[in-house]
Amino acid sequence: MVFTSHIFIFYFLPLVLLGYYLLPAKRNLFLLAASYVFYGWWNPWFVLLMLFATFVNYTCGGIIAKAEDDAPRRRWALAASVVISLGTLGFFKYFMFAANNLNGLLGLFGAGPFPVLQITLPVGISFYIFQSMSYSIDVYRRTSPPVRSFFDFACFVSLFPQLIAGPIVRYNTVADQLVYRTHTLDKFASGVALFILGFAKKILLANMVGPVADAVFEAESPYALDAWFGVTAYAFQIYFDFSAYSDMAIGLGRMLGFEFPRNFNAPYMADSITDFWRRWHISLSTFLRDYLYVPLGGNRKGPRRTYINLAIVMLLGGLWHGANWTFVCWGAFHGVLLAFERWRGKQSVYARLPRPFRIAATFVLVLFSWVLFRSPTLGGAGRFFGAMLGLSGAHGGSALLGGAIYTQGHLIMMALCALLAFQARQAFDLAEEVTWPKTVVLIPLFCLALVTMLVQAFNPFLYFQF
Amino acid sequence: MRGKNLFLIGAFAVIISGVGLTQALVEARRGERPQFTDLFLHAPSEEHLRGFEEDLEDASCFTEYLRPAMQYAQFAALGNTGDYALMGRDGWLFYKNGVQFLIEPWDGNAAVADVIVSFRERLAGRGIELLVVPAPGKASVYPDRLTARARAGGGVVYAHSRQLMGQLKARGVAMVDLFEVFDRARAEEGDEPDLYLQRDTHWSPAGMRLAAEAVAARLIELGWVARGDAAYDLRPASIERRGDIVHMMRSPRIEARFERQRVDCAQVVTKGEGLLYADDPQSEVLVLGDSFLRIYQADEPESAGFIAHLARELGMSLASIVNDGGASTLVRQELARKPELLSGKKVVVWEFVERDIRFGAEGWQDVALPELPAAETGAQSAS
């Protein structure tokens, strides 16, 4: 089930809110059941996998907590949690990728390929595996107490607002909220406001410019101008799509009494790549920092090791997004830029330019990285870079692309996206406090987005694949 | 503070719960069982859940009521022409799929060529010749009417079709290159008359007649058909057509914004009697194709389409099978179900629109020819 669907908005959500607030107790159990329905809507069998990940990490966390001073036993249980969690993720997400690459390698030596098992990737697996694993690690580090109830833990792992696309909520962030959380009118209204803003961003912005990006990236040989226009459309699409989902998730969380961390903070206002990663998918970057970069030694083992650690984190961060060399290269691209800026004292090479130019330069670098992220293959990314630099050859039928992308509607929506993306105050900030003027705008905005959703055939959600 | 929060929450609650409740009430008033209860009729499976969700959306009275108004609002405010249409220059409309075929990479020509060659060989086994006629999409002939930077002519935009025709030619398949015919016509005669309709995917009567003349000339040049002695006259007939691309926007209010285009056709009638042209299943020429053959022929004004004009050029009635969007496979499957249509045939003319090379319904399947009736099998083996 996706948030921007008929079934979710008009049936699932009202029933869940009604049930949740009518119940005097056992609300976590109700949320658990609702979350399993939400997740099982894709494929009921996927729920079993989530139960497996929940059970493993709950058990390992319990063993770690009980072992207290028995260091080997604690380490063994942590290792079991990490190996089983990452093994599950690896099998479902990376097995086919590894097998296909191995076949390619074998082919170089003249060996025949072995058959590759076709595995369906369960939706949201990268998110809930990371979240459930964070519990064992937090208990091991003694930053969180062990959970008392299996159902509370299962509720944390499966919590439907942030289950599919984050923000990645660590156990220690919500451990207290699972036991006790407040439900206030202010919090609920702020959640409604944020949900509406996220919903509108997804339907009225991301879905409107998405077809431009698709048309350009699927074209055989676009003109340079078309390529730049297309990748800019993709930059807007992915931001207004992914951040919208986060806004809706945080908004829903507030309606249910939870407070989830902010996931985006005006990322296209970043004036360096280092700054960009403080603003983009914050829950992932802080997760990787705390659970990977710091254990690798962080910046404590000298500059050279710091650069290597940064590169490793970004490479794995790239691979986390998908089993494709394009994502690895996307991570490497950012890793190299981050290491370079670290070498310059966390400053970009254009640090002396006025801020608007720094923002523009950072955005251009990010656009280049989105080419890697969006292209289906490295070869495709190479051709697209060529197109952006005006190096593509004959344009053939792609000469017609202008007729498909420079339409009145697309130009208006791109301008609106630019206006909204390059603002310091984003939906998250606007929803902090509900005022009468905001209320007067939000309700018609929600109605407009809902009616638009009813007629939209194009309604993908980009981060599902991750 | 409390008032605005309550107002926002109340409005939100009314909106999200109102749609489902209203839908259930509407269904109850119609005496129907509320559709959401379908969920509990089957064990939950991925297939059932997807189907349930789609049915729920399709049956929504809100969607049904609001969709036309919203589509019109988007059209008026943003110029949004929906999922199937592209707005060109000077009021021309283009079919998105047709443009998409030209823009995107395509590497399936070899498989298409295999199917066409296989069909040719199956027909040759029965002593029947095959003439292939790929019909150019509108954007291939009028790229400059879609975007100012595209040039007409020279085959620049229809590289995929040109490649397929090259492969077919190399394998000895006889064809008519309508791309070249239309490019030449535009180069020699300028923009009058238009070879395609402004807001329709199909050719105009002028383009259609040019195609019919080219196909007839090719058949005679190949020596596969001798000109017959049936005589036909032309009878002027005008129709008004809004255009199938306008209909694809699925909004009567948007449709009303586009004027009907006057289309001057010429019906083919028998000389003397003045009867409208009619197919003859016993003809030695069978024509297979898609809606490019249907327009003006089965559609109004009738008997003024490609088949009738080809018959007039050849001086004989023809047999035909026409399937909208199904020229890649469905027409041959229909032929397989009608063995009598192959009786006495010398030539099959197979027309398919360019975009169907990639998007043809049911793809490009290798379809066996129908078994001949026993009497004819004997006659053929004796000859």
Side-chain angles (χ1 to χ4, degrees), chain A residues 64 74 78 135-144 170 172 287 289-292 294-295:
Chain A
I64 293 167
R74 284 165 52 80
L78 177 69
Y135 166 71
S136 309
I137 299 171
D138 288 347
V139 173
Y140 178 82
R141 288 176 173 176
R142 296 194 167 96
T143 54
S144 289
R170 300 182 218 181
N172 60 19
F287 188 98
R289 180 195 66 200
D290 294 345
Y291 293 99
L292 186 59
V294 171

PDB file of all heavy atoms in Angstrom, chain A residues 64 74 78 135-144 170 172 287 289-292 294-295:
ATOM      1  N   ILE A  64      22.021 -10.433  24.446  1.00  0.00           N
ATOM      2  CA  ILE A  64      23.046  -9.423  24.746  1.00  0.00           C
ATOM      3  C   ILE A  64      22.755  -8.782  26.121  1.00  0.00           C
ATOM      4  O   ILE A  64      23.653  -8.610  26.946  1.00  0.00           O
ATOM      5  CB  ILE A  64      23.088  -8.344  23.642  1.00  0.00           C
ATOM      6  CG1 ILE A  64      23.597  -8.946  22.331  1.00  0.00           C
ATOM      7  CG2 ILE A  64      23.974  -7.163  24.057  1.00  0.00           C
ATOM      8  CD1 ILE A  64      23.385  -8.074  21.117  1.00  0.00           C
ATOM      9  N   ARG A  74      28.114 -11.712  24.524  1.00  0.00           N
ATOM     10  CA  ARG A  74      27.519 -10.495  23.959  1.00  0.00           C
ATOM     11  C   ARG A  74      27.980 -10.299  22.518  1.00  0.00           C
ATOM     12  O   ARG A  74      27.182  -9.994  21.620  1.00  0.00           O
ATOM     13  CB  ARG A  74      27.921  -9.267  24.802  1.00  0.00           C
ATOM     14  CG  ARG A  74      27.168  -9.148  26.124  1.00  0.00           C
ATOM     15  CD  ARG A  74      27.851  -8.156  27.070  1.00  0.00           C
ATOM     16  NE  ARG A  74      28.095  -6.858  26.443  1.00  0.00           N
ATOM     17  CZ  ARG A  74      27.166  -5.913  26.310  1.00  0.00           C
ATOM     18  NH1 ARG A  74      25.954  -6.123  26.774  1.00  0.00           N
ATOM     19  NH2 ARG A  74      27.455  -4.767  25.750  1.00  0.00           N
ATOM     20  N   LEU A  78      25.717 -10.377  19.153  1.00  0.00           N
ATOM     21  CA  LEU A  78      25.705  -9.231  18.232  1.00  0.00           C
ATOM     22  C   LEU A  78      26.074  -9.691  16.817  1.00  0.00           C
ATOM     23  O   LEU A  78      25.442  -9.302  15.835  1.00  0.00           O
ATOM     24  CB  LEU A  78      26.684  -8.157  18.709  1.00  0.00           C
ATOM     25  CG  LEU A  78      26.786  -6.947  17.776  1.00  0.00           C
ATOM     26  CD1 LEU A  78      25.492  -6.147  17.798  1.00  0.00           C
ATOM     27  CD2 LEU A  78      27.953  -6.044  18.162  1.00  0.00           C
ATOM     28  N   TYR A 135      18.596  -2.176  16.857  1.00  0.00           N
ATOM     29  CA  TYR A 135      18.204  -2.523  18.227  1.00  0.00           C
ATOM     30  C   TYR A 135      19.306  -3.336  18.909  1.00  0.00           C
ATOM     31  O   TYR A 135      19.760  -2.999  20.015  1.00  0.00           O
ATOM     32  CB  TYR A 135      16.890  -3.299  18.202  1.00  0.00           C
ATOM     33  CG  TYR A 135      16.568  -3.994  19.504  1.00  0.00           C
ATOM     34  CD1 TYR A 135      16.196  -3.266  20.632  1.00  0.00           C
ATOM     35  CD2 TYR A 135      16.639  -5.383  19.606  1.00  0.00           C
ATOM     36  CE1 TYR A 135      15.908  -3.908  21.829  1.00  0.00           C
ATOM     37  CE2 TYR A 135      16.353  -6.025  20.789  1.00  0.00           C
ATOM     38  CZ  TYR A 135      15.992  -5.288  21.907  1.00  0.00           C
ATOM     39  OH  TYR A 135      15.713  -5.923  23.095  1.00  0.00           O
ATOM     40  N   SER A 136      19.760  -4.405  18.235  1.00  0.00           N
ATOM     41  CA  SER A 136      20.808  -5.254  18.832  1.00  0.00           C
ATOM     42  C   SER A 136      22.064  -4.443  19.105  1.00  0.00           C
ATOM     43  O   SER A 136      22.709  -4.588  20.154  1.00  0.00           O
ATOM     44  CB  SER A 136      21.163  -6.410  17.891  1.00  0.00           C
ATOM     45  OG  SER A 136      20.010  -7.065  17.488  1.00  0.00           O
ATOM     46  N   ILE A 137      22.390  -3.566  18.138  1.00  0.00           N
ATOM     47  CA  ILE A 137      23.618  -2.782  18.290  1.00  0.00           C
ATOM     48  C   ILE A 137      23.466  -1.789  19.457  1.00  0.00           C
ATOM     49  O   ILE A 137      24.391  -1.622  20.264  1.00  0.00           O
ATOM     50  CB  ILE A 137      23.954  -2.047  16.971  1.00  0.00           C
ATOM     51  CG1 ILE A 137      24.181  -3.063  15.846  1.00  0.00           C
ATOM     52  CG2 ILE A 137      25.192  -1.173  17.136  1.00  0.00           C
ATOM     53  CD1 ILE A 137      24.314  -2.457  14.466  1.00  0.00           C
ATOM     54  N   ASP A 138      22.306  -1.146  19.544  1.00  0.00           N
ATOM     55  CA  ASP A 138      22.089  -0.175  20.632  1.00  0.00           C
ATOM     56  C   ASP A 138      22.125  -0.864  21.998  1.00  0.00           C
ATOM     57  O   ASP A 138      22.683  -0.325  22.959  1.00  0.00           O
ATOM     58  CB  ASP A 138      20.744   0.540  20.446  1.00  0.00           C
ATOM     59  CG  ASP A 138      20.775   1.527  19.292  1.00  0.00           C
ATOM     60  OD1 ASP A 138      21.882   1.829  18.810  1.00  0.00           O
ATOM     61  OD2 ASP A 138      19.699   1.973  18.871  1.00  0.00           O
ATOM     62  N   VAL A 139      21.553  -2.057  22.069  1.00  0.00           N
ATOM     63  CA  VAL A 139      21.573  -2.776  23.350  1.00  0.00           C
ATOM     64  C   VAL A 139      23.007  -3.201  23.666  1.00  0.00           C
ATOM     65  O   VAL A 139      23.471  -3.106  24.812  1.00  0.00           O
ATOM     66  CB  VAL A 139      20.623  -4.003  23.295  1.00  0.00           C
ATOM     67  CG1 VAL A 139      20.771  -4.864  24.555  1.00  0.00           C
ATOM     68  CG2 VAL A 139      19.183  -3.553  23.148  1.00  0.00           C
ATOM     69  N   TYR A 140      23.736  -3.632  22.628  1.00  0.00           N
ATOM     70  CA  TYR A 140      25.136  -4.022  22.824  1.00  0.00           C
ATOM     71  C   TYR A 140      25.956  -2.830  23.328  1.00  0.00           C
ATOM     72  O   TYR A 140      26.775  -2.960  24.232  1.00  0.00           O
ATOM     73  CB  TYR A 140      25.704  -4.552  21.503  1.00  0.00           C
ATOM     74  CG  TYR A 140      27.153  -4.937  21.584  1.00  0.00           C
ATOM     75  CD1 TYR A 140      27.538  -6.187  22.092  1.00  0.00           C
ATOM     76  CD2 TYR A 140      28.151  -4.053  21.166  1.00  0.00           C
ATOM     77  CE1 TYR A 140      28.872  -6.546  22.180  1.00  0.00           C
ATOM     78  CE2 TYR A 140      29.482  -4.400  21.260  1.00  0.00           C
ATOM     79  CZ  TYR A 140      29.850  -5.643  21.759  1.00  0.00           C
ATOM     80  OH  TYR A 140      31.171  -5.991  21.850  1.00  0.00           O
ATOM     81  N   ARG A 141      25.701  -1.687  22.728  1.00  0.00           N
ATOM     82  CA  ARG A 141      26.454  -0.489  23.129  1.00  0.00           C
ATOM     83  C   ARG A 141      25.939   0.103  24.441  1.00  0.00           C
ATOM     84  O   ARG A 141      26.446   1.108  24.915  1.00  0.00           O
ATOM     85  CB  ARG A 141      26.348   0.584  22.035  1.00  0.00           C
ATOM     86  CG  ARG A 141      27.122   0.277  20.780  1.00  0.00           C
ATOM     87  CD  ARG A 141      26.836   1.364  19.761  1.00  0.00           C
ATOM     88  NE  ARG A 141      27.668   1.249  18.583  1.00  0.00           N
ATOM     89  CZ  ARG A 141      27.551   2.032  17.517  1.00  0.00           C
ATOM     90  NH1 ARG A 141      26.631   2.979  17.502  1.00  0.00           N
ATOM     91  NH2 ARG A 141      28.334   1.863  16.489  1.00  0.00           N
ATOM     92  N   ARG A 142      24.881  -0.441  24.925  1.00  0.00           N
ATOM     93  CA  ARG A 142      24.221   0.002  26.152  1.00  0.00           C
ATOM     94  C   ARG A 142      23.682   1.428  26.017  1.00  0.00           C
ATOM     95  O   ARG A 142      23.593   2.186  26.981  1.00  0.00           O
ATOM     96  CB  ARG A 142      25.177  -0.087  27.358  1.00  0.00           C
ATOM     97  CG  ARG A 142      25.584  -1.521  27.653  1.00  0.00           C
ATOM     98  CD  ARG A 142      26.234  -1.640  29.029  1.00  0.00           C
ATOM     99  NE  ARG A 142      26.344  -3.024  29.459  1.00  0.00           N
ATOM    100  CZ  ARG A 142      27.452  -3.760  29.300  1.00  0.00           C
ATOM    101  NH1 ARG A 142      28.514  -3.238  28.734  1.00  0.00           N
ATOM    102  NH2 ARG A 142      27.475  -5.008  29.728  1.00  0.00           N
ATOM    103  N   THR A 143      23.351   1.819  24.802  1.00  0.00           N
ATOM    104  CA  THR A 143      22.720   3.125  24.612  1.00  0.00           C
ATOM    105  C   THR A 143      21.202   3.010  24.722  1.00  0.00           C
ATOM    106  O   THR A 143      20.507   4.019  24.736  1.00  0.00           O
ATOM    107  CB  THR A 143      23.076   3.741  23.244  1.00  0.00           C
ATOM    108  OG1 THR A 143      22.746   2.791  22.231  1.00  0.00           O
ATOM    109  CG2 THR A 143      24.549   4.087  23.155  1.00  0.00           C
ATOM    110  N   SER A 144      20.706   1.772  24.751  1.00  0.00           N
ATOM    111  CA  SER A 144      19.263   1.551  24.926  1.00  0.00           C
ATOM    112  C   SER A 144      19.057   0.351  25.827  1.00  0.00           C
ATOM    113  O   SER A 144      19.823  -0.617  25.763  1.00  0.00           O
ATOM    114  CB  SER A 144      18.601   1.234  23.593  1.00  0.00           C
ATOM    115  OG  SER A 144      18.560   2.341  22.792  1.00  0.00           O
ATOM    116  N   ARG A 170      15.905   4.719  14.496  1.00  0.00           N
ATOM    117  CA  ARG A 170      16.689   3.775  15.307  1.00  0.00           C
ATOM    118  C   ARG A 170      15.923   3.436  16.569  1.00  0.00           C
ATOM    119  O   ARG A 170      15.116   4.234  17.050  1.00  0.00           O
ATOM    120  CB  ARG A 170      18.014   4.411  15.700  1.00  0.00           C
ATOM    121  CG  ARG A 170      18.827   4.790  14.522  1.00  0.00           C
ATOM    122  CD  ARG A 170      20.087   5.347  15.051  1.00  0.00           C
ATOM    123  NE  ARG A 170      20.529   6.455  14.248  1.00  0.00           N
ATOM    124  CZ  ARG A 170      21.631   7.109  14.512  1.00  0.00           C
ATOM    125  NH1 ARG A 170      22.350   6.798  15.568  1.00  0.00           N
ATOM    126  NH2 ARG A 170      22.028   8.085  13.741  1.00  0.00           N
ATOM    127  N   ASN A 172      16.876   3.373  19.628  1.00  0.00           N
ATOM    128  CA  ASN A 172      17.042   4.264  20.785  1.00  0.00           C
ATOM    129  C   ASN A 172      16.302   5.592  20.621  1.00  0.00           C
ATOM    130  O   ASN A 172      16.109   6.327  21.570  1.00  0.00           O
ATOM    131  CB  ASN A 172      18.522   4.487  21.148  1.00  0.00           C
ATOM    132  CG  ASN A 172      19.304   5.101  20.010  1.00  0.00           C
ATOM    133  OD1 ASN A 172      18.717   5.674  19.100  1.00  0.00           O
ATOM    134  ND2 ASN A 172      20.629   4.964  20.056  1.00  0.00           N
ATOM    135  N   PHE A 287      22.827   7.226  10.301  1.00  0.00           N
ATOM    136  CA  PHE A 287      22.892   5.797  10.591  1.00  0.00           C
ATOM    137  C   PHE A 287      24.249   5.244  10.149  1.00  0.00           C
ATOM    138  O   PHE A 287      24.942   4.538  10.906  1.00  0.00           O
ATOM    139  CB  PHE A 287      21.756   5.050   9.856  1.00  0.00           C
ATOM    140  CG  PHE A 287      21.631   3.603  10.235  1.00  0.00           C
ATOM    141  CD1 PHE A 287      20.683   3.190  11.171  1.00  0.00           C
ATOM    142  CD2 PHE A 287      22.457   2.632   9.673  1.00  0.00           C
ATOM    143  CE1 PHE A 287      20.555   1.855  11.517  1.00  0.00           C
ATOM    144  CE2 PHE A 287      22.342   1.303  10.021  1.00  0.00           C
ATOM    145  CZ  PHE A 287      21.387   0.908  10.954  1.00  0.00           C
ATOM    146  N   ARG A 289      26.926   6.908   9.619  1.00  0.00           N
ATOM    147  CA  ARG A 289      27.999   7.520  10.433  1.00  0.00           C
ATOM    148  C   ARG A 289      28.167   6.755  11.754  1.00  0.00           C
ATOM    149  O   ARG A 289      29.276   6.354  12.108  1.00  0.00           O
ATOM    150  CB  ARG A 289      27.639   8.987  10.718  1.00  0.00           C
ATOM    151  CG  ARG A 289      28.674   9.736  11.544  1.00  0.00           C
ATOM    152  CD  ARG A 289      28.073  11.035  12.072  1.00  0.00           C
ATOM    153  NE  ARG A 289      26.999  10.765  13.027  1.00  0.00           N
ATOM    154  CZ  ARG A 289      26.060  11.652  13.351  1.00  0.00           C
ATOM    155  NH1 ARG A 289      26.036  12.843  12.804  1.00  0.00           N
ATOM    156  NH2 ARG A 289      25.129  11.330  14.249  1.00  0.00           N
ATOM    157  N   ASP A 290      27.040   6.529  12.431  1.00  0.00           N
ATOM    158  CA  ASP A 290      27.125   5.960  13.777  1.00  0.00           C
ATOM    159  C   ASP A 290      27.364   4.456  13.787  1.00  0.00           C
ATOM    160  O   ASP A 290      27.955   3.926  14.724  1.00  0.00           O
ATOM    161  CB  ASP A 290      25.837   6.267  14.558  1.00  0.00           C
ATOM    162  CG  ASP A 290      25.693   7.758  14.798  1.00  0.00           C
ATOM    163  OD1 ASP A 290      26.697   8.476  14.622  1.00  0.00           O
ATOM    164  OD2 ASP A 290      24.583   8.208  15.125  1.00  0.00           O
ATOM    165  N   TYR A 291      26.871   3.760  12.766  1.00  0.00           N
ATOM    166  CA  TYR A 291      26.974   2.299  12.789  1.00  0.00           C
ATOM    167  C   TYR A 291      28.040   1.755  11.834  1.00  0.00           C
ATOM    168  O   TYR A 291      28.279   0.563  11.800  1.00  0.00           O
ATOM    169  CB  TYR A 291      25.618   1.669  12.451  1.00  0.00           C
ATOM    170  CG  TYR A 291      24.567   1.921  13.505  1.00  0.00           C
ATOM    171  CD1 TYR A 291      23.635   2.930  13.345  1.00  0.00           C
ATOM    172  CD2 TYR A 291      24.527   1.175  14.680  1.00  0.00           C
ATOM    173  CE1 TYR A 291      22.674   3.181  14.309  1.00  0.00           C
ATOM    174  CE2 TYR A 291      23.566   1.419  15.652  1.00  0.00           C
ATOM    175  CZ  TYR A 291      22.638   2.421  15.467  1.00  0.00           C
ATOM    176  OH  TYR A 291      21.694   2.667  16.429  1.00  0.00           O
ATOM    177  N   LEU A 292      28.649   2.632  11.043  1.00  0.00           N
ATOM    178  CA  LEU A 292      29.683   2.153  10.118  1.00  0.00           C
ATOM    179  C   LEU A 292      30.944   3.013  10.181  1.00  0.00           C
ATOM    180  O   LEU A 292      32.039   2.505  10.438  1.00  0.00           O
ATOM    181  CB  LEU A 292      29.103   2.129   8.685  1.00  0.00           C
ATOM    182  CG  LEU A 292      30.000   1.515   7.605  1.00  0.00           C
ATOM    183  CD1 LEU A 292      30.345   0.066   7.923  1.00  0.00           C
ATOM    184  CD2 LEU A 292      29.310   1.591   6.244  1.00  0.00           C
ATOM    185  N   VAL A 294      31.928   5.392  12.341  1.00  0.00           N
ATOM    186  CA  VAL A 294      32.563   5.457  13.662  1.00  0.00           C
ATOM    187  C   VAL A 294      33.233   4.121  14.016  1.00  0.00           C
ATOM    188  O   VAL A 294      34.407   4.101  14.419  1.00  0.00           O
ATOM    189  CB  VAL A 294      31.548   5.915  14.736  1.00  0.00           C
ATOM    190  CG1 VAL A 294      32.135   5.780  16.138  1.00  0.00           C
ATOM    191  CG2 VAL A 294      31.122   7.358  14.479  1.00  0.00           C
ATOM    192  N   PRO A 295      32.543   2.975  13.861  1.00  0.00           N
ATOM    193  CA  PRO A 295      33.222   1.704  14.142  1.00  0.00           C
ATOM    194  C   PRO A 295      34.457   1.460  13.266  1.00  0.00           C
ATOM    195  O   PRO A 295      35.401   0.798  13.683  1.00  0.00           O
ATOM    196  CB  PRO A 295      32.148   0.652  13.844  1.00  0.00           C
ATOM    197  CG  PRO A 295      30.857   1.364  14.028  1.00  0.00           C
ATOM    198  CD  PRO A 295      31.107   2.762  13.602  1.00  0.00           C
TER     199      PRO A 295
END
